C-alpha cells in the first residue's frame, strides 16, 4: 500500500524548532543524569551538574511554549494534505481516528498489515504524547526540589515533605528518567513504523510524495508524485 504524502504543513517551523530543543536537551539530561548518579569518568561533575540544570529549565520552558503554540500555530491535521487547522485539534479526538484505537494497536503489534487512514497522530500516539507533558512538569519539579539554590524554598520543602524527604524525591526523579528513556524508544517506534519519511520531515523538513488526503471528506483523493 502506498503511503500518504508528507508535507511541511504537518510540522510548521516553530514545532520543528521546539522538537530539536527537546531532542538535544533530552539527550544531555539523560547523559548528565547518569553521570551525576554514577560518575564514569573524572573531572566532569561540575559541568554535568551545570548542564543538567540549564537543560532542565530549557526543556521545561520549551514544553510550556509548545503547549501555548498549540493554540496559536496551525498545522495539517493529517498527512497527505496542505490544509491547516489549529494544532490543538490534533491532540483531541478527531473524526478521522475517533474509533480507531483498537485498529492502531493491532497495526503496531503487527496484527494488521495496513494502518488505519486518519489523523496525523494515531490514537496510541495521542495518548503517549499527551502524557509526556505532565510527566515532564513533574520531572522538573522533582529536579528543582533537589537543586540546592531552590531546595529550601517553601514550595520545594512542601514537596519534599509530601514524598518523605530528599532521598525519596531523588528516587522518583531517577525513576522518571527511565520512563522518559522508554518513551523515547516508543516514540521512535511509533514515528517510524511506516518508514523514516515522517522523521525526515520533522527534523529536516524534507517533503515526500505519496497519496493525497481530503481531511474534510476523509478520503484519499489523488497522488502527489513529487521527487523523493
Amino acid at each position: 500500500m502506498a503511503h500518504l504524502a508528507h508535507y511541511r504543513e504537518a510540522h510548521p517551523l516553530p514545532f520543528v524548532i521546539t522538537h530539536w530543543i527537546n531532542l538535544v536537551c533530552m539527550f544531555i539530561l539523560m547523559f548528565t543524569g547518569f553521570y551525576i548518579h554514577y560518575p564514569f569518568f573524572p573531572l566532569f561533575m561540575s559541568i554535568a551538574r551545570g548542564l543538567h540544570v540549564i537543560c532542565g529549565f530549557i526543556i521545561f520552558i520549551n514544553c510550556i511554549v509548545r503547549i501555548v503554540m498549540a493554540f496559536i500555530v496551525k498545522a495539517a491535521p493529517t498527512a497527505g494534505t496542505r490544509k491547516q487547522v489549529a494544532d490543538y485539534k490534533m491532540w483531541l479526538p478527531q473524526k478521522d481516528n475517533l474509533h480507531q484505537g483498537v485498529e492502531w494497536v493491532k497495526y503496531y503489534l503487527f496484527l494488521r498489515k495496513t494502518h488505519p487512514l486518519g489523523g496525523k497522530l494515531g490514537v496510541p500516539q495521542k495518548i503517549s504524547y499527551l502524557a509526556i507533558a505532565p510527566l515532564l512538569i513533574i520531572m522538573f519539579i522533582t529536579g528543582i526540589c533537589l537543586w540546592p539554590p531552590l531546595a529550601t524554598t517553601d514550595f520545594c520543602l512542601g514537596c519534599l515533605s509530601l514524598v518523605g524527604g530528599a532521598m525519596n524525591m531523588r528516587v522518583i526523579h531517577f525513576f522518571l528518567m527511565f520512563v522518559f528513556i522508554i518513551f523515547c524508544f516508543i516514540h521512535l517506534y511509533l514515528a517510524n513504523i511506516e518508514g523514516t519519511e515522517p522523521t525526515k520531515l520533522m527534523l529536516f523538513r524534507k517533503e515526500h510524495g505519496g497519496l493525497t488526503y481530503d481531511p474534510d471528506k476523509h478520503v484519499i483523493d489523488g497522488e502527489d508524485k513529487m521527487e523523493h
Side-chain angles (χ1 to χ4, degrees):
M1 175 183 173
H3 297 308
L4 294 173
H6 295 87
Y7 298 130
R8 292 189 181 99
E9 283 78 2
H11 302 297
L13 184 58
F15 297 161
V16 173
I17 293 172
T18 56
H19 191 273
W20 267 108
I21 292 172
N22 280 338
L23 175 64
V24 173
C25 286
M26 193 72 73
F27 175 80
I28 294 175
L29 284 166
M30 289 177 183
F31 177 80
T32 55
F34 273 116
Y35 183 87
I36 292 168
H37 181 74
Y38 182 76
F40 38 87
F41 58 88
L43 305 177
F44 186 67
M45 182 59 75
S46 60
I47 296 176
R49 290 186 181 277
L51 286 173
H52 199 77
V53 171
I54 292 171
C55 288
F57 275 97
I58 291 175
I59 202 170
F60 172 74
I61 295 171
N62 196 54
C63 176
I64 301 302
V65 169
R66 179 62 179 84
I67 292 173
V68 172
M69 285 198 304
F71 296 90
I72 301 173
V73 180
K74 291 184 176 182
T78 181
T81 182
R82 294 189 186 276
K83 296 180 181 179
Q84 293 180 301
V85 298
D87 180 68
Y88 75 88
K89 294 182 178 180
M90 267 73 86
W91 306 94
L92 302 175
Q94 297 168 263
K95 289 183 180 180
D96 280 322
N97 55 18
L98 184 60
H99 306 294
Q100 293 179 346
V102 174
E103 296 306 312
W104 273 107
V105 170
K106 288 181 180 179
Y107 177 64
Y108 289 139
L109 295 178
F110 303 102
L111 299 176
R112 171 180 169 141
K113 291 183 179 180
T114 59
H115 65 83
L117 285 175
K120 180 171 66 176
L121 303 177
V123 177
Q125 284 179 295
K126 287 179 190 272
I127 295 173
S128 61
Y129 297 171
L130 284 172
I132 209 66
L135 285 176
L136 194 150
I137 293 172
I138 294 172
M139 184 71 156
F140 176 75
I141 292 173
T142 62
I144 64 172
C145 288
L146 297 170
W147 189 39
L150 293 179
T152 55
T153 61
D154 291 340
F155 174 77
C156 290
L157 288 174
C159 292
L160 289 168
S161 176
L162 184 65
V163 301
M167 180 54 70
N168 288 343
M169 186 68 79
R170 191 170 289 109
V171 170
I172 295 171
H173 190 74
F174 194 64
F175 171 77
L176 284 174
M177 180 179 69
F178 287 99
V179 172
F180 277 92
I181 291 173
I182 293 171
F183 166 79
C184 287
F185 281 106
I186 293 175
H187 176 53
L188 286 171
Y189 172 66
L190 296 182
N192 294 282
I193 189 172
E194 297 181 65
T196 59
E197 285 77 17
T199 297
K200 292 177 182 176
L201 178 64
M202 170 56 85
L203 296 180
F204 308 111
R205 310 203 77 204
K206 183 178 180 180
E207 295 188 333
H208 191 282
L211 301 176
T212 57
Y213 186 83
D214 188 329
D216 298 318
K217 297 179 180 179
H218 315 296
V219 294
I220 292 173
D221 61 358
E223 184 175 3
D224 185 349
K225 296 182 179 181
M226 67 171 63
E227 292 296 327
H228 289 188

